Amino acid sequence: MKKRTLIHDIARHLEVSITTVSLVLNGKAKEYRISDALAERVMQYVAQVGYRPNQLAKSLRTGKTHVIGLIIEDISNPFFATVARLVERHASARGYRVLYSSTDDSAAKAKDLIALFQEQHLDGYIIAPPAGVEAELEQLLKSGVPTVFFDRYLPGLATDYVGVDNAAGVYQATQLLLDQGVARIAFLTTESTQTQMAARQQGYTRAMQEAGQPAQVQHVPLNFDDDSVREQSIAAIHQFLQDNPACEAVIFANNSLATLGLEAIAQLGRRIPQELAVISFDDNDLFRLHSPTITAIAQPVEALAEALINVLLAKLSDERPAAAQPQTVELPVSLVVRGSSARQ
Amino acid sequence: MKKRTLIHDIARHLEVSITTVSLVLNGKAKEYRISDALAERVMQYVAQVGYRPNQLAKSLRTGKTHVIGLIIEDISNPFFATVARLVERHASARGYRVLYSSTDDSAAKAKDLIALFQEQHLDGYIIAPPAGVEAELEQLLKSGVPTVFFDRYLPGLATDYVGVDNAAGVYQATQLLLDQGVARIAFLTTESTQTQMAARQQGYTRAMQEAGQPAQVQHVPLNFDDDSVREQSIAAIHQFLQDNPACEAVIFANNSLATLGLEAIAQLGRRIPQELAVISFDDNDLFRLHSPTITAIAQPVEALAEALINVLLAKLSDERPAAAQPQTVELPVSLVVRGSSARQ
DNA sequence: CTGAAAGCGCTAACAG
DNA sequence: CTGTTAGCGCTTTCAG
């Protein structure tokens, strides 16, 4: 348990004042007309003994932590995992740490997390909000902490948002099937009413409507928290497919659903795409390697991460607190056509 | 920017002393013989206004942050992602937050992370160390912060470790193939010299040796950071398979390698398992859903996460600092036999 | 039960 | 350039 060196120790050793050391360390040497020689001497000794200021004390004093909180749905979902690490990479390149955690899309967990993060006095937030946390978020926004929503937003709350054009993606995917003469297309989605899910569904409904085909939307229970629900979800999809033998194609509203769906399809022994065409929202390794490969609506993860960081850091450095109009970034998705959507 | 309520505000409102509020808040009401009535009154008001003590100040004062750092290789790897979220879940059930970050197996990143975490004064660490950070880690251990290694350890450093019996797992997998008369088995591994990789290789070599078969170990470049290396890795595996047409089976030393390998195999159009049997260390969704399903050596993620938290929290609460003998937990793995290893 | 007071380690205004 | 000083918000000892 050797004790850490303190700013005081280094000042004493160098026989200069604590102020000088602090000023040099914070890049204010010039401003306070400290000689380059002295500044250099300080920096050198600091490096030599490996002195690291205590961030707790620093933050307590300055009110800044240089940490941003990333609250996502589920870190074990490839989409969120990828965005998380990209955000982290960009943030750290710009001097920020990111602290991330999953809500499992539960309002209770999200509330805990927000409270926890607030106690830690993070500088800003990126949040994929579950339903039911409007009040907490509103309070968070009112407190003036820079916050940007991601993946979905909460209609009542005016803040920055970064996401994709969900409706267009699904519309396009539905078209792809319709153009091949596949008309009995079902849309499998979760029970959630989140904006991104609603938009995806709406893209599907519109395409079907325009084609004069009846839409068939099926809601499947989905829960990341409890592994037993996993089986239930598979069973539900299984059931649906069995009850709808005429269904020629299914579009899954996200990649968790699709993964579960592939399992259900395998159980039933339905051949893809001959007996059932499949398209998933969100791309991932599994889809590239599956036999057949799975057509997916891919979100531009790299661009999303960059946009998130840019929007947030802009707010962070900006002086005008909640002045400007909230910024909204909506990126296009791309349809990655693979084997599972091909007409046999 | 409304200001947060402080302990001072609540004391004043209740017309009691700050000391009293603090004592009640920290569960020391009894100890200081504060009446239940008063304690109740305090708690109630605190709840009412939603007062949250400033953790920065608290930590600065107490020296405890109640945050543990989880330093893993790659959060987008399903194995690490799963362990991370399980650790997080257990930790939070026991009053700890976890802060996790990936090293991409780079010593430089790991050093940065350790330094960063140290500045934040975390209470303890769980680390999957890359090679080349021995010095930093030794210093960390000497500073007395509870630390447990995970997945692999660094031979020179005596600290607690939680991992699996890697050698036995691969030995068993190799046996499975040998028992079916498949003898030309290659072992594809990374270039790393980490303990877990060495042990896996050793399990393979021993099995081959005992069977009187020549071992064939191939090292493949692998890098999580740089996506261009991804293609290189695939190309390397591709090349290897092409150069060794007689090879009947391949065991991948981890799941990233296996994922890449499946891609290479698909490119070559080799049929699994008829032309090439495949087994991977680490299990994941992809392997369950692939056609054919992929046999895998599965690590007990749930048990690992629990062991990690138990070992760490034991050290955290223990008074004897580096007193006791370092604890080592080595869990068994299980062979999940699926389609890819079946003799046709 | 309580009030005062010290202090965790650092920043930054202020007056030299 | 520097020394002093006043905190940031909280815990905890000590003397009532």
Side-chain angles (χ1 to χ4, degrees):
Chain A
M1 292 280 191
K2 76 173 172 202
K3 56 160 64 96
R4 300 168 55 100
T5 43
L6 306 180
I7 195 169
H8 173 252
D9 300 331
I10 102 113
R12 203 178 29 184
H13 175 96
L14 256 25
E15 293 180 308
V16 300
S17 80
I18 290 184
T19 309
T20 307
V21 178
S22 175
L23 259 17
V24 170
L25 250 24
N26 291 291
K28 305 200 171 159
K30 285 271 171 288
E31 193 178 325
Y32 282 80
R33 308 152 46 99
I34 291 168
S35 73
D36 290 359
L38 213 199
E40 182 51 36
R41 207 155 65 85
V42 171
M43 291 307 276
Q44 199 164 321
Y45 184 67
V46 160
Q48 182 195 323
V49 299
Y51 165 72
R52 299 290 205 136
N54 180 328
Q55 294 300 323
L56 288 172
K58 199 165 172 162
S59 297
L60 181 59
R61 184 61 236 241
T62 62
K64 306 250 130 279
T65 53
H66 274 241
V67 176
I68 78 188
L70 176 53
I71 299 183
I72 57 186
E73 191 171 279
D74 175 17
I75 191 65
S76 58
N77 176 317
F79 169 65
F80 287 110
T82 308
V83 172
R85 68 179 315 213
L86 292 174
V87 164
E88 183 179 19
R89 191 178 299 173
H90 286 138
S92 86
R94 298 173 67 170
Y96 281 83
R97 289 247 335 115
V98 6
L99 215 158
Y100 38 86
S101 217
S102 315
T103 61
D104 293 326
D105 219 11
S106 129
K109 286 193 194 176
K111 284 180 196 173
D112 278 0
L113 272 177
I114 294 169
L116 229 31
F117 280 2
Q118 279 190 284
E119 287 173 9
Q120 320 256 344
H121 292 249
L122 308 198
D123 286 356
Y125 297 89
I126 294 174
I127 305 182
V133 293
E134 288 74 8
E136 288 72 15
L137 253 18
E138 184 158 5
Q139 179 243 327
L140 180 68
L141 295 180
K142 266 215 291 261
S143 79
V145 191
T147 299
V148 19
F149 285 162
F150 162 57
D151 192 53
R152 76 287 304 261
Y153 54 87
L154 297 175
L157 303 179
T159 187
D160 305 64
Y161 160 72
V162 171
V164 298
D165 190 346
N166 290 285
V170 177
Y171 179 82
Q172 208 185 128
T174 311
Q175 281 296 346
L176 175 73
L177 294 168
L178 289 168
D179 285 351
Q180 297 178 76
V182 175
R184 315 234 15 174
I185 307 168
F187 185 75
L188 289 224
T189 184
T190 63
E191 281 154 341
S192 127
T193 55
Q194 291 163 341
T195 55
Q196 87 285 19
M197 298 314 262
R200 290 174 197 176
Q201 177 172 335
Q202 192 250 315
Y204 160 78
T205 324
R206 186 162 64 83
M208 294 301 271
Q209 231 158 38
E210 288 178 12
Q213 297 293 341
Q216 178 168 30
V217 174
Q218 175 71 23
H219 297 267
V220 174
L222 181 62
N223 188 319
F224 318 93
D225 189 17
D226 183 352
D227 286 342
S228 73
V229 175
R230 200 193 137 71
E231 302 305 325
Q232 281 179 41
S233 310
I234 296 177
I237 300 174
H238 188 116
Q239 190 61 245
F240 168 80
L241 292 172
Q242 225 159 14
D243 293 350
N244 297 77
C247 176
E248 300 171 89
V250 34
I251 298 177
F252 292 101
N254 68 212
N255 76 48
S256 313
L257 233 35
T259 303
L260 264 12
L262 289 174
E263 199 141 347
I265 294 169
Q267 284 175 5
L268 284 166
R270 294 272 177 98
R271 288 181 309 147
I272 303 174
Q274 294 87 341
E275 296 171 1
L276 188 69
V278 166
I279 298 184
S280 171
F281 204 99
D282 289 344
D283 198 6
N284 69 31
D285 275 357
L286 199 165
F287 300 158
R288 257 186 313 100
L289 292 173
H290 195 273
S291 302
T293 51
I294 307 293
T295 294
I297 300 158
Q299 300 196 52
V301 281
E302 177 67 62
L304 279 171
E306 243 182 275
L308 281 169
I309 273 304
N310 286 339
V311 172
L312 187 59
L313 292 195
K315 294 183 82 168
L316 242 22
S317 53
D318 225 359
E319 284 323 315
R320 40 170 196 176
Q325 193 70 358
Q327 214 181 130
T328 291
V329 177
E330 189 156 276
L331 269 18
V333 298
S334 55
L335 188 58
V336 181
V337 180
R338 300 207 184 90
S340 67
S341 60
R343 187 75 211 234
Q344 201 51 23
Chain B
M1 292 276 190
K2 77 173 171 200
K3 55 161 66 96
R4 298 169 56 99
T5 46
L6 305 179
I7 195 170
H8 173 253
D9 301 330
I10 102 113
R12 203 179 28 185
H13 175 96
L14 256 26
E15 293 181 307
V16 300
S17 79
I18 290 184
T19 311
T20 306
V21 178
S22 175
L23 260 16
V24 170
L25 249 24
N26 291 290
K28 303 198 173 157
K30 285 270 171 292
E31 192 178 326
Y32 282 80
R33 308 153 44 102
I34 291 169
S35 72
D36 290 359
L38 213 199
E40 182 50 37
R41 207 155 67 85
V42 171
M43 292 307 276
Q44 199 163 319
Y45 184 66
V46 160
Q48 182 196 320
V49 300
Y51 166 72
R52 299 288 204 141
N54 179 330
Q55 294 300 322
L56 289 172
K58 198 164 175 164
S59 297
L60 181 59
R61 183 62 234 243
T62 61
K64 308 250 130 278
T65 54
H66 275 241
V67 175
I68 77 186
L70 176 54
I71 299 182
I72 57 185
E73 191 170 280
D74 174 18
I75 191 66
S76 56
N77 176 316
F79 169 65
F80 287 110
T82 307
V83 172
R85 72 180 309 216
L86 291 174
V87 164
E88 182 179 19
R89 191 178 300 175
H90 285 139
S92 85
R94 297 170 69 168
Y96 281 84
R97 290 247 335 115
V98 5
L99 214 157
Y100 40 88
S101 215
S102 315
T103 61
D104 292 328
D105 219 10
S106 131
K109 286 193 194 175
K111 284 180 196 174
D112 278 0
L113 272 177
I114 294 169
L116 228 30
F117 280 3
Q118 279 189 285
E119 287 173 9
Q120 319 255 343
H121 293 245
L122 308 197
D123 287 355
Y125 296 89
I126 295 174
I127 306 183
V133 293
E134 288 75 7
E136 287 72 15
L137 253 18
E138 186 159 2
Q139 180 243 327
L140 180 68
L141 294 180
K142 266 215 292 262
S143 78
V145 191
T147 299
V148 19
F149 284 163
F150 161 58
D151 192 52
R152 76 287 306 260
Y153 53 89
L154 297 175
L157 302 179
T159 188
D160 305 63
Y161 161 71
V162 171
V164 298
D165 190 346
N166 291 285
V170 178
Y171 179 83
Q172 209 185 127
T174 312
Q175 281 296 346
L176 175 73
L177 294 168
L178 289 167
D179 285 351
Q180 297 177 76
V182 175
R184 316 233 14 175
I185 308 168
F187 185 74
L188 289 224
T189 183
T190 63
E191 281 153 341
S192 127
T193 55
Q194 290 163 342
T195 56
Q196 87 285 19
M197 298 314 263
R200 290 173 198 177
Q201 178 172 336
Q202 192 250 315
Y204 161 78
T205 325
R206 186 162 65 83
M208 293 301 270
Q209 230 159 39
E210 287 179 13
Q213 298 293 341
Q216 178 168 28
V217 174
Q218 176 71 24
H219 297 268
V220 174
L222 182 61
N223 189 318
F224 317 94
D225 189 15
D226 183 352
D227 287 342
S228 72
V229 175
R230 198 194 140 72
E231 301 304 324
Q232 279 179 42
S233 309
I234 296 177
I237 300 173
H238 189 118
Q239 189 62 244
F240 169 81
L241 291 172
Q242 225 159 14
D243 294 349
N244 296 76
C247 175
E248 301 171 275
V250 33
I251 298 177
F252 292 101
N254 68 213
N255 75 48
S256 314
L257 234 33
T259 303
L260 264 12
L262 289 174
E263 199 141 347
I265 294 169
Q267 283 174 4
L268 283 165
R270 294 271 177 99
R271 287 181 309 146
I272 302 174
Q274 295 88 339
E275 296 169 359
L276 188 69
V278 165
I279 297 183
S280 172
F281 203 99
D282 290 343
D283 197 6
N284 70 31
D285 275 356
L286 199 165
F287 300 158
R288 256 187 312 102
L289 292 174
H290 195 274
S291 306
T293 51
I294 306 294
T295 295
I297 300 158
Q299 300 196 53
V301 281
E302 177 66 62
L304 279 172
E306 241 182 278
L308 280 169
I309 273 304
N310 286 339
V311 172
L312 187 59
L313 292 195
K315 294 183 81 168
L316 242 23
S317 53
D318 226 359
E319 284 323 315
R320 40 170 196 176
Q325 193 69 0
Q327 214 181 130
T328 291
V329 177
E330 190 157 273
L331 269 16
V333 297
S334 55
L335 188 58
V336 182
V337 180
R338 300 207 183 91
S340 67
S341 60
R343 188 75 211 233
Q344 201 51 22

